Amino acid sequence: MKITIVYDNCTAKAGLRTGWGFAAFLQTDNAAPLLFDTGADGATLLYNMRKLGVDPRQIGIIVISHAHGDHTGGLPDVLEINKHAEIYVPASTIARLPGRKVIRVSQPIQISEAVFSTGELKGIEQSLAIKTSKGILVVAGCSHPGVGTILDAASCYGKVYGIIGGLHGFRDFNRFEGLSVICPCHCTQYKSELRRLFPEQYVACGAGRELGLL
Ligand SMILES: [Zn+2]
Ligand SMILES: [Zn+2]
């Protein structure tokens, strides 16, 4: 299993484009490739995917964390190319996607063999919980419900060992104690504090960053 950041405010690999927003591509055994969020701009998303060797036609599952433009803006361009992916959106999302299989998520659900949704939290956002041999890796879009709320929800699938994604203004830093991977992306306001407090666990995010998951 592998997760690759394909859209972020920063880059982790030369030659990729940046933009305000977030998207991650997840490859797991025994399940279709999954795109989590789509960034703000389709051209940037597709450009980075091409550079990273990700074919948008392969995507079988698209999960949208929440309905803000910096996470949904690239969706029309992806759907233009990919006609078959199932789309998981938080239940409160009102946008219509005629002719597409759209699953509106409210409660925690299983998406594929190793991938689960926390369910829509605080009426705005869902995060992923990926089961690995080390425990649960959480993938968050913007963390509007609060990182603590997301970690608690993901814990129903097992012990959380890491988090990657936008962590917004969350600063209850002791909630990160015990994690072995902390990869703050996109809208995270306290990256430098997290790097200072958790130098061993900190992984710099950016488009092109890959994390292998076992
Ligand atoms: Zn947002
Ligand atoms: Zn955002």
Side-chain angles (χ1 to χ4, degrees), residues 5 14 29 38 53 68 74 86 118 191 205 210:
I5 304 305
D29 307 330
T38 63
H68 289 168
E86 296 178 351
T118 58
K191 282 184 185 174
C205 191
E210 282 180 9

Side-chain angles (χ1 to χ4, degrees), residues 22-103:
F22 185 70
F25 180 70
L26 176 68
Q27 289 156 285
T28 59
D29 307 330
N30 312 321
L34 182 154
L35 181 68
F36 178 77
D37 284 345
T38 63
D41 166 56
T44 303
L45 177 69
L46 294 178
Y47 178 89
N48 284 351
M49 281 185 170
R50 195 161 54 242
K51 286 277 176 188
L52 290 163
V54 174
D55 181 351
R57 286 167 299 193
Q58 293 172 353
I59 297 163
I61 303 164
I62 298 171
V63 179
I64 298 295
S65 65
H66 67 299
H68 289 168
D70 52 334
H71 299 258
T72 61
L75 186 59
D77 284 23
V78 174
L79 297 183
E80 192 66 38
I81 297 168
N82 180 312
K83 305 289 185 192
H84 66 274
E86 296 178 351
I87 306 156
Y88 290 75
V89 300
S92 65
T93 308
I94 44 173
R96 296 183 150 272
L97 295 165
R100 307 299 300 232
K101 184 174 178 195
V102 178
I103 298 104

Side-chain angles (χ1 to χ4, degrees), residues 105-124:
V105 177
S106 48
Q107 299 305 312
I109 54 159
Q110 185 165 20
I111 292 173
S112 69
E113 189 172 302
V115 182
F116 299 80
S117 167
T118 58
E120 182 178 45
L121 300 173
K122 303 217 168 153
I124 181 166

